[in-house]
Amino acid sequence: MISVAEHTSEASENALRAAPLYGAEKPLARKMERTSSTVLDTIVGRSGGLRSILAQVEAVAHTNATVLITGETGTGKEVIARAIHELSARRNRSLVKVNCAAMPAGLLESELFGHERGAFTGAINFHVGRFALADRGTLFLDEIGDMQLELQPKLLRVLQEREFEAVGSTRTTRVDVRVVAATNQDLKQMVRDREFREDLYYRLNAFPIYLPPLRERKADIPELVEYFVQQFAATMDKTIETIPEATMRSLVSHCWPGNIRELQNYIARGVILSNDGVFKPAPLESCEPLQPEMANTTLEDKIRQEILAACLRSNWKLGGPRGAAARLGVNRTTLFYKMRRFGIVRPADH
């Protein structure tokens, strides 16, 4: 795991000191020179924390261990999953991807394990599931934290036993699949809240890799900016020769809540707007800083924060087995009373 301490203000200052290299008086390199032939060299950025992550990727890739990649949205989890596959002995087989948040439980089960003709209404043909397609290859389960509880035991079984049955079939299929999973959610907290199976969590978490947010990787921002400017300028048949120093400084100091994906989209828009060989993007939107912890927090403040956190995690569903009251261990009437006492009001759209 990478601690915030590894990406302190010193890294930020180093990045800012590097920014003048991209000033108007310094031409922007036309080509990125890569001397190594490994897939890791396609990953941009070489800060201390990222070097450690790439070392972990290289170490685990040659094994069959299940990998769990965690980190905020937009930090590049799919890129790391692809690197693990490309560096493994399975690289000549398929890398099959499934977004677990994109479909309901019934459809996801069919997508993972396949189904027989007539297994359910609308199943007019036999369907091969993703596990079968990924046999002797790698299966990337994105957004694993959104997988429904009723489907998790079936995933656990195929991870443990390497076998499954298609929906509507009694025939057992054995597979040799390496699983890489990713999530932007806190699975440990979901286990505590009984929203994710503990046994499945530990099975997936055989080799965890944490990707830090871009705000903790400020030393990498100048290289990322240069790379994306070159990339989009080439695809748009434009010539961008310089990046002003003031522009680079503002990009390095921005908090980038959407991480690398947000930076990439911003650079693409900037290249569209830029002319005369100078990168001149639109002004950055205001970025709210992370709220610091309250000093001398009172007991009432802590209780209010716990209630708010429970309401947010339950999407403002107050009752029921997965509602805020159940999370807090109180009945719904007590929760209503405490919400009135602390002035907590459910948003109108909920």
Side-chain angles (χ1 to χ4, degrees):
M1 301 288 279
I2 299 172
S3 65
V4 177
E6 289 179 308
H7 306 276
T8 55
S9 59
E10 179 179 323
S12 177
E13 290 171 4
N14 290 338
L16 290 172
R17 282 198 292 269
L21 293 175
Y22 301 85
E25 74 281 2
K26 187 81 173 178
L28 181 64
R30 295 292 181 90
K31 257 183 157 181
M32 301 284 284
E33 294 185 3
R34 303 283 183 187
T35 58
S36 175
S37 59
T38 70
V39 68
L40 294 181
D41 286 278
T42 65
I43 298 176
V44 181
R46 287 295 181 270
S47 71
L50 189 59
R51 282 198 299 270
S52 172
I53 291 170
L54 298 184
Q56 293 178 55
V57 169
E58 197 162 18
V60 76
H62 302 291
T63 74
N64 284 319
T66 303
V67 180
L68 178 62
I69 307 170
T70 58
E72 295 178 8
T73 183
T75 50
K77 295 186 287 295
E78 185 174 337
V79 173
I80 296 299
R82 178 171 293 279
I84 291 170
H85 173 73
E86 294 294 337
L87 289 170
S88 74
R90 301 170 181 264
R91 58 185 170 272
N92 294 324
R93 307 294 295 185
S94 298
L95 170 63
V96 179
K97 307 172 191 174
V98 181
N99 187 329
C100 299
M103 53 192 80
L107 185 57
L108 180 58
E109 181 180 2
S110 171
E111 196 65 27
L112 288 175
F113 306 118
H115 65 251
E116 295 289 335
R117 180 179 179 181
F120 51 84
T121 303
I124 59 176
N125 293 309
F126 170 76
H127 175 69
V128 179
R130 301 295 180 93
F131 266 100
L133 292 174
D135 191 25
R136 292 188 289 167
T138 305
L139 180 64
F140 176 50
L141 299 176
D142 199 10
E143 306 295 350
I144 190 68
D146 290 290
M147 177 176 283
Q148 295 84 351
L149 271 170
E150 58 266 31
L151 187 53
Q152 292 178 22
K154 298 182 179 181
L155 174 60
L156 179 63
R157 181 197 171 197
V158 74
L159 289 176
Q160 291 177 333
E161 309 296 335
R162 299 187 179 276
E163 63 182 30
F164 64 90
E165 288 83 38
V167 179
S169 173
T170 57
R171 185 178 68 254
T172 299
T173 302
R174 294 192 62 83
V175 288
D176 173 18
V177 175
R178 200 264 183 86
V179 171
V180 177
T183 182
N184 59 10
Q185 300 193 51
D186 184 350
L187 291 188
K188 284 186 177 179
Q189 184 60 49
M190 292 183 69
V191 169
R192 288 191 287 267
D193 293 338
R194 298 185 178 182
E195 295 177 347
F196 200 86
R197 288 181 63 103
E198 185 176 23
D199 47 6
L200 178 58
Y201 168 70
Y202 286 116
R203 176 64 65 174
L204 292 170
N205 201 44
F207 193 94
I209 295 177
Y210 167 69
L211 298 184
L214 191 56
R215 61 182 174 272
E216 296 176 16
R217 292 178 49 197
K218 290 185 178 292
D220 287 333
I221 291 179
E223 185 180 354
L224 287 164
V225 171
E226 179 182 354
Y227 177 83
F228 289 138
V229 167
Q230 291 176 11
Q231 182 186 59
F232 290 118
T235 59
M236 298 176 190
D237 197 23
K238 285 194 169 190
T239 300
I240 305 293
E241 297 178 342
T242 56
I243 301 176
E245 179 180 339
T247 298
M248 184 61 79
R249 287 182 174 274
S250 66
L251 296 177
V252 171
S253 61
H254 192 65
C255 66
W256 300 111
N259 295 296
I260 297 174
R261 186 180 296 121
E262 181 187 3
L263 174 65
Q264 183 179 22
N265 292 337
Y266 178 79
I267 298 298
R269 294 194 298 271
V271 170
I272 293 172
L273 297 172
S274 299
N275 296 298
D276 304 322
V278 180
F279 181 62
K280 293 181 179 178
L284 287 163
E285 296 180 1
S286 60
C287 186
E288 291 294 329
L290 295 175
Q291 293 294 327
E293 291 188 7
M294 296 174 61
N296 300 321
T297 306
T298 66
L299 178 59
E300 289 196 351
D301 289 330
K302 290 180 179 178
I303 294 174
R304 187 177 191 279
Q305 290 171 19
E306 288 181 4
I307 294 174
L308 274 173
C311 290
L312 290 171
R313 283 191 59 81
S314 63
N315 197 28
W316 290 93
K317 182 180 178 181
L318 304 182
R322 299 174 68 179
R327 294 171 187 272
L328 294 167
V330 300
N331 60 48
R332 191 167 57 174
T333 304
T334 301
L335 176 60
F336 289 159
Y337 167 76
K338 289 183 179 294
M339 288 177 66
R340 287 196 299 271
R341 177 183 174 187
F342 294 111
I344 299 172
V345 180
R346 181 162 48 184
D349 56 352
H350 288 77

